[in-house]
């Protein structure tokens, strides 16, 4: 597992939005996102990030404290040590006060032309 | 969370991560904005759910008059997949377990001519190679260049890439399906049932088999071993003309894995 220096997240909200702040968990520690922009209302786009500087066992986006949150798309940009930066897009998911969604993906496999 | 509660949890052996109804549930640590660190606060249990990833598989692409080959080693470097922008074995798949089995199939003969190639699996426009000896990234980089070279040379020759005898051996899909299902019912599932696991046949395409690992097998840390040494072996022994075997299980979403 690589050391994650920093990640940025861009969240597109669907029909049902929620309230700020948006929290994530890193290895089960709940944190607010930093450098945030935008909103999490219906059809709004929100972005943020965090300097992690640690090894990731789990990374999740935490659901709202109450009600539901329709997430249309989550785009993650990862900056890991010894690995070129990479991005992953997660598909639609609905979160509530009982759920959090995984937002960690291992770096892609090396691929080259032969 | 209060100190008393934390101590109580420590002595009761419970952890901040619990398996509830087979799902990973974490105790949600609230941000430290409460007025007192000792204030009683009910823990919030959240299920970790998986959203599907929108991704495009890496494929060799480019103008059709060029033979393009992309190499991709597996994460554990046990094998390397070669993706070609030409069909290698359309509609079917075949595992060449050794050099002798390659006889009569120009593609396999060429790949086995490369030193340290151990096995070759051909399916549609991909070839998967395993090797003997060291298996680091640099080892695959060197070998992949050679394999890419012989693949390209064979494709340029425009001959039948796989022996017609092999194609003749492969029966109709219904026969493959029936025989694989029989192996699952009589050998595989009774074997994994002891660990609460089960295997489901989800698709047969030509002689290519796709399965789903459920129950205790889904997410089990020994699932890969079970698949490669148990299931592959049982399938290939009972149904020798089976080609590629794929596991489409989402192991991250396992509800009650045997080993975790």
């Amino acid at each position: 597992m690589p050391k994650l220096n920093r990640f940025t997240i861009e969240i597109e909200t669907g029909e049902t939005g929620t309230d700020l702040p948006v929290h994530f968990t890193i290895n089960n520690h709940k944190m607010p996102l930093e450098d945030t922009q935008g909103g999490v209302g219906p059809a709004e786009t929100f972005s943020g990030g965090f300097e992690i500087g640690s090894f990731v066992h789990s990374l999740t986006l935490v659901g709202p404290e109450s009600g539901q949150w329709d997430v249309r798309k989550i785009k993650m940009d990862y900056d890991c040590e010894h690995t070129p930066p990479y991005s992953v897009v997660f598909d639609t998911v609905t979160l509530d006060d009982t759920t959090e969604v995984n937002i960690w993906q291992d770096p892609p496999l090396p691929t080259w032309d032969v | 969370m209060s100190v008393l509660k934390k101590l109580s949890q420590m002595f009761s052996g419970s952890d901040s991560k619990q398996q509830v109804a087979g799902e990973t549930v974490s105790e949600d640590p609230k941000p430290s904005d409460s007025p007192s660190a000792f204030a009683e606060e009910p823990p919030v249990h959240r299920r970790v759910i998986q959203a599907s990833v929108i991704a495009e598989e890496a494929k060799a692409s480019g103008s059709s008059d060029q033979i393009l080959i992309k190499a991709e080693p597996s994460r554990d470097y046990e094998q390397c997949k070669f993706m070609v922008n030409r069909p290698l074995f359309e509609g079917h798949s075949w595992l060449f377990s050794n050099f002798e089995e390659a006889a009569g199939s120009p593609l396999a003969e060429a790949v086995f001519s490369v030193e340290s190639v151990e096995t070759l699996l051909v399916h549609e426009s991909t070839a998967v190679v395993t090797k003997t000896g060291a298996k680091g990234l640099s080892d695959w980089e060197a070998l992949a260049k050679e394999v890419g070279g012989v693949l390209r040379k064979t494709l340029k020759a425009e001959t039948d890439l796989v022996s017609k005898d092999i194609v003749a051996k492969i029966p109709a899909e219904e026969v493959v399906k029936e025989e694989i299902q029989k192996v699952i019912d009589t050998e595989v599932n009774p074997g994994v049932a002891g660990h609460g696991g089960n295997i489901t046949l989800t698709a047969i395409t030509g002689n290519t088999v796709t399965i789903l690992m459920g129950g205790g097998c889904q997410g089990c840390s020994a699932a890969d071993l079970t698949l490669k040494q148990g299931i592959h072996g049982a399938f290939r022994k009972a149904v020798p003309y089976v080609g590629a075997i794929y596991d489409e299980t989402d192991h991250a979403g396992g509800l009650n894995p045997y080993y975790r």
Side-chain angles (χ1 to χ4, degrees):
Chain A
M1 125 198 6
K3 184 178 175 183
L4 177 62
N5 295 326
R6 179 181 168 77
F7 76 87
T8 58
I9 183 169
E10 188 179 285
I11 306 164
E12 285 181 32
T13 297
E15 288 180 3
T16 310
T18 186
D19 299 318
L20 292 171
V22 175
H23 287 94
F24 74 101
T25 71
I26 169 75
N27 302 340
N28 292 322
H29 296 284
K30 189 175 173 181
M31 312 282 283
L33 287 160
E34 294 178 345
D35 306 324
T36 58
Q37 282 188 332
V40 286
E44 283 188 320
T45 300
F46 172 86
S47 65
F50 203 88
E51 298 277 349
I52 297 286
S54 185
F55 295 91
V56 177
H57 299 278
S58 72
L59 186 68
T60 68
L61 175 67
V62 179
E65 293 302 317
S66 63
Q68 285 200 330
W69 182 16
D70 290 337
V71 176
R72 187 183 293 154
K73 200 188 279 184
I74 304 168
K75 181 174 181 285
M76 295 292 299
D77 295 308
Y78 308 96
D79 173 11
C80 293
E81 201 169 65
H82 307 310
T83 305
Y86 63 100
S87 301
V88 171
V89 179
F90 292 96
D91 207 355
T92 309
V93 67
T94 300
L95 296 171
D96 58 23
D97 60 348
T98 67
T99 53
E100 52 193 289
V101 63
N102 172 50
I103 50 172
W104 171 247
Q105 181 86 353
D106 284 325
L109 295 166
T111 304
W112 66 94
D113 293 316
V114 292
Chain B
M1 182 193 319
S2 75
V3 172
L4 280 174
K5 192 160 208 167
K6 186 132 193 163
L7 284 170
S8 157
Q9 280 189 355
M10 282 168 68
F11 286 110
S12 68
S14 66
D15 198 354
S16 62
K17 265 215 181 273
Q18 302 170 19
Q19 290 287 324
V20 175
E23 291 178 316
T24 307
V25 176
S26 63
E27 186 179 300
D28 185 1
K30 292 271 183 188
S32 56
D33 53 359
S34 63
S36 163
F38 294 93
E40 200 64 45
E41 215 175 67
V44 178
H45 298 290
R46 289 180 183 269
R47 282 183 299 121
V48 178
I49 55 179
Q50 301 287 332
S52 52
V53 173
I54 305 170
E56 279 187 22
E57 193 182 349
K59 282 182 183 167
S61 58
S63 60
S64 57
D65 56 337
Q66 277 183 299
I67 296 171
L68 299 167
I69 306 170
K70 211 172 257 300
E72 182 188 89
S74 59
R75 204 168 289 285
D76 58 4
Y77 298 125
E78 280 298 311
Q79 60 185 36
C80 185
K81 182 162 73 172
F82 296 84
M83 295 159 282
V84 188
N85 65 341
R86 294 280 193 286
L88 301 178
F89 195 21
E90 267 185 308
H92 293 100
S93 52
W94 197 258
L95 174 70
F96 298 91
S97 302
N98 52 54
F99 178 76
E100 287 74 27
E101 289 181 13
S105 297
L107 182 82
E109 285 177 4
V111 172
F112 273 97
S113 72
V114 177
E115 202 180 330
S116 80
V117 166
E118 187 179 35
T119 67
L120 167 69
L121 174 72
V122 185
H123 181 209
E124 300 287 355
S125 59
T126 63
V128 178
V129 170
T130 62
K131 73 186 286 293
T132 56
K135 295 184 180 86
L137 179 59
S138 58
D139 302 305
W140 277 116
E141 279 171 342
L143 187 76
K145 198 174 175 184
E146 281 190 71
V147 171
V150 297
L151 282 175
R152 184 172 285 104
K153 195 174 169 187
T154 313
L155 285 163
K156 278 181 182 164
E158 294 182 350
T159 57
D160 284 335
L161 298 172
V162 176
S163 166
K164 285 188 173 136
D165 290 346
I166 287 177
V167 181
K169 276 187 205 171
I170 301 170
E173 265 180 26
E174 295 72 38
V175 177
V176 182
K177 186 177 180 182
E178 194 179 308
E179 296 199 9
I180 289 290
Q181 189 61 57
K182 193 176 161 189
V183 180
I184 290 175
D185 294 341
T186 59
E187 287 183 47
V188 177
N189 272 344
V192 296
H195 293 177
N198 61 75
I199 306 299
T200 309
L201 176 62
T202 56
I204 295 279
T205 312
N207 62 333
T208 301
V209 178
T210 307
I211 58 160
L212 202 59
M213 301 175 84
C217 293
Q218 188 185 5
C220 173
S221 57
D224 195 49
L225 203 67
T226 304
L227 178 71
K228 286 175 183 161
Q229 292 188 5
I231 300 170
H232 281 214
F235 284 1
R236 294 196 192 285
K237 190 177 171 193
V239 192
Y241 43 80
V242 74
I245 301 164
Y246 296 116
D247 169 26
E248 63 174 13
T249 311
D250 173 16
H251 284 284
L255 295 179
N256 192 20
Y258 187 66
Y259 288 113
R260 192 72 168 176

